[in-house]
């Protein structure tokens, strides 16, 4: 895989460089609530612009259904990119149409443009190879060189991620090169003890990575909504907690395999419960009760790990050499249920381990709860991509960047 360093060494002044970024930021109307993904692509965009390239940045945002939808416009992301770069960033109101062609044609050396949401075009996500390829051909007309730097999308077989690199000289951007290097430390070059912390809502989202990590991890800590399926598999009452009943047999099998392989599974010993889900808009006090994880009342819902579990998990992280964390421990968006996630984040900071926060809600939680991102070993920009890499899957966007 050739990297942007090789591209820059050969000179890019005057060349149109298409950067497939991941600007899929959360929006409240037109207000960006977390600009982490925009900041992540800055080193690549800045390096290219400073070297005199004419930079064309493209990304998806949300899930529009192949047609323009103002609610998913990249205009706010383009504005924020310009603010972070400290220079004007032009914005094309379409992706491959008249506005995009004119905007790119007017770029001077060192200038940056953002084209509109790639998913406003049905060809971007088409299952049909010919339709996807035709859209990639139109994108290729905008550039001389391709730089892949949208790590959060590399697990998607989409036109701008998979097909376009084959039509232009292609390189990995700084972000993708960094992400791949980090993930190799979690798969091929692991320092032990290797502890994995998995949370989030659905155990089904994590079955593949659990299956793969049972061959690699020394210890797996379970939290979040997915914990209640594990507790149910152990025969415990989980009340009205989030539960995937159909996954109980698979969970039982994984617990059996873990025991056979000597992998330590660690589950909550106490949880915060309530009869009502908290109001995430008003953040009104929720007044939860702490109960043993094995004694959740039938009319109550588990919404965070309890104080004894926080201490337990911190102790299980203290001697780690490598830690991968993906998924919050509870409903961290509400202050009454944020302490579990906060405790895990703090335990990672207190640990001497190489710590990786695996994107998605975990990365958002780190920022929302006020932690210094630079204090962690690495914060991934791609939750789904990170998990699929750890599952041992071939990621289309990375395969396309290989020579």
């Amino acid at each position: 895989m050739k990297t942007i360093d090789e591209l820059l060494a050969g000179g890019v002044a005057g060349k149109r460089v298409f950067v497939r970024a991941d600007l899929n930021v959360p929006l409240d109307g037109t207000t960006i609530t977390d600009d982490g993904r925009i900041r992540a692509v800055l080193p690549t965009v800045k390096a290219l612009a400073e070297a005199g390239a004419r930079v064309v940045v493209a990304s998806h945002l949300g899930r529009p259904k192949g047609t323009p939808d103002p609610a998913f416009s990249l205009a706010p992301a383009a504005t924020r990119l310009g603010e972070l770069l400290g220079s004007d960033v032009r914005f094309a109101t379409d992706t491959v149409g008249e506005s995009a062609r004119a905007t790119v044609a007017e770029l001077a050396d060192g200038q940056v443009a953002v084209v509109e949401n790639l998913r406003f075009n049905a060809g971007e996500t088409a299952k049909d190879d010919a339709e996807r390829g035709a859209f990639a051909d139109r994108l290729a007309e905008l550039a001389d060189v391709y730089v892949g730097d949208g790590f959060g999308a590399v697990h998607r077989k989409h036109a701008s991620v998979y097909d376009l690199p084959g039509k232009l000289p292609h390189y990995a951007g700084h972000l993708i090169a960094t992400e791949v290097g980090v993930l190799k430390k979690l798969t091929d070059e692991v320092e032990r003890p290797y502890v994995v912390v998995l949370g989030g809502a659905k155990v089904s989202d994590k079955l593949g990575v659990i299956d793969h990590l049972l061959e690699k991890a020394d210890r797996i800590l379970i939290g979040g909504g997915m914990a209640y399926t594990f507790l149910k598999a152990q025969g415990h009452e989980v009340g009205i907690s989030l539960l995937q009943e159909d996954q109980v047999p698979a969970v039982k099998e994984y617990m059996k395999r873990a025991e056979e392989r000597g992998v330590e599974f660690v589950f909550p010993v106490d949880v915060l419960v309530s009869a009502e889900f908290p109001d995430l808009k008003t953040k009104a006090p929720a007044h939860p009760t702490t109960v043993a994880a094995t004694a959740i009342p039938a009319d109550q819902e588990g919404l965070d790990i309890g104080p004894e579990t926080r201490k337990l998990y911190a102790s299980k992280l203290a001697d780690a050499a490598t830690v991968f964390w993906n998924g919050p421990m509870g409903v961290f968006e509400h202050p009454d249920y944020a302490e579990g996630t906060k405790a895990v984040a703090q335990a990672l900071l207190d640990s001497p381990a190489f710590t990786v926060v695996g994107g998605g809600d975990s990365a958002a939680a780190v920022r929302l709860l006020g932690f210094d991102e630079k204090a962690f070993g690495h914060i991934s920009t791609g939750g789904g991509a990170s998990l699929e890499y750890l599952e041992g899957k071939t990621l289309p966007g990375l395969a396309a960047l290989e020579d």
Side-chain angles (χ1 to χ4, degrees), residues 32-57:
I32 296 171
T33 57
D34 182 353
D35 66 0
R37 285 178 170 169
I38 302 176
R39 291 178 180 274
V41 79
L42 276 180
T44 289
V45 174
K46 187 175 291 188
L48 289 167
E50 290 177 350
R54 302 177 182 190
V55 187
V56 183
V57 180

Side-chain angles (χ1 to χ4, degrees), residues 116-128:
E116 186 55 284
N117 193 335
L118 290 160
R119 291 185 183 174
F120 285 0
N121 303 267
E124 169 68 1
T125 59
K127 301 293 185 185
D128 181 75

Side-chain angles (χ1 to χ4, degrees), residues 207-221:
L207 287 180
V209 75
I210 292 173
D211 182 67
H212 202 66
L213 288 172
L214 283 175
E215 307 296 321
K216 296 183 178 294
D218 298 300
R219 193 178 298 148
I220 301 176
L221 282 53

Side-chain angles (χ1 to χ4, degrees), residues 40 96 112 120 131 149 154 188 199 202 236 249-251 260 302 321 330 357 359:
V96 291
V112 179
F120 285 0
E131 184 180 356
D149 214 31
V154 294
D188 303 329
K202 295 181 179 180
H236 302 305
V251 165
E260 292 171 349
V357 180

Side-chain angles (χ1 to χ4, degrees), residues 332 342 345-346 349 363-373 375-376:
F332 70 91
K342 190 181 296 184
Q346 187 61 53
L349 293 184
V366 163
R367 289 187 279 269
L368 179 67
L369 298 175
F371 288 94
D372 180 4
E373 295 179 60
F376 297 88

Side-chain angles (χ1 to χ4, degrees), residues 64-227:
K65 302 187 184 300
T67 58
D69 183 339
F72 297 107
S73 175
L74 277 175
T79 299
R80 183 58 180 151
L81 179 62
E83 292 170 351
L84 293 170
L85 287 171
S87 60
D88 180 57
V89 168
R90 302 187 178 204
F91 181 66
T93 56
D94 56 32
T95 305
V96 291
E98 183 178 338
S99 178
R101 292 193 298 271
T103 300
V104 173
E106 292 168 2
L107 287 176
D109 292 2
Q111 288 189 323
V112 179
V114 173
V115 296
E116 186 55 284
N117 193 335
L118 290 160
R119 291 185 183 174
F120 285 0
N121 303 267
E124 169 68 1
T125 59
K127 301 293 185 185
D128 181 75
D129 290 349
E131 184 180 356
R132 217 176 47 247
F135 181 56
D137 285 335
R138 296 186 68 189
L139 290 172
E141 294 172 1
L142 300 175
D144 306 303
V145 181
Y146 177 92
V147 172
D149 214 31
F151 181 74
V154 294
H155 58 315
R156 306 295 187 191
K157 193 176 182 180
H158 291 170
S160 65
V161 176
Y162 178 74
D163 301 271
L164 183 56
K167 301 177 184 296
L168 295 169
H170 48 270
Y171 302 82
H174 289 308
L175 175 61
I176 280 185
T178 298
E179 294 271 13
V180 171
V182 166
L183 288 170
K184 284 183 177 179
K185 292 184 179 181
L186 301 178
T187 52
D188 303 329
E189 306 158 8
V190 182
E191 290 189 24
R192 299 185 180 280
Y194 179 18
V195 183
V196 176
V197 185
L198 295 177
K202 295 181 179 180
V203 70
S204 57
D205 292 341
K206 304 291 187 347
L207 287 180
V209 75
I210 292 173
D211 182 67
H212 202 66
L213 288 172
L214 283 175
E215 307 296 321
K216 296 183 178 294
D218 298 300
R219 193 178 298 148
I220 301 176
L221 282 53
I222 301 293
M226 63 183 287

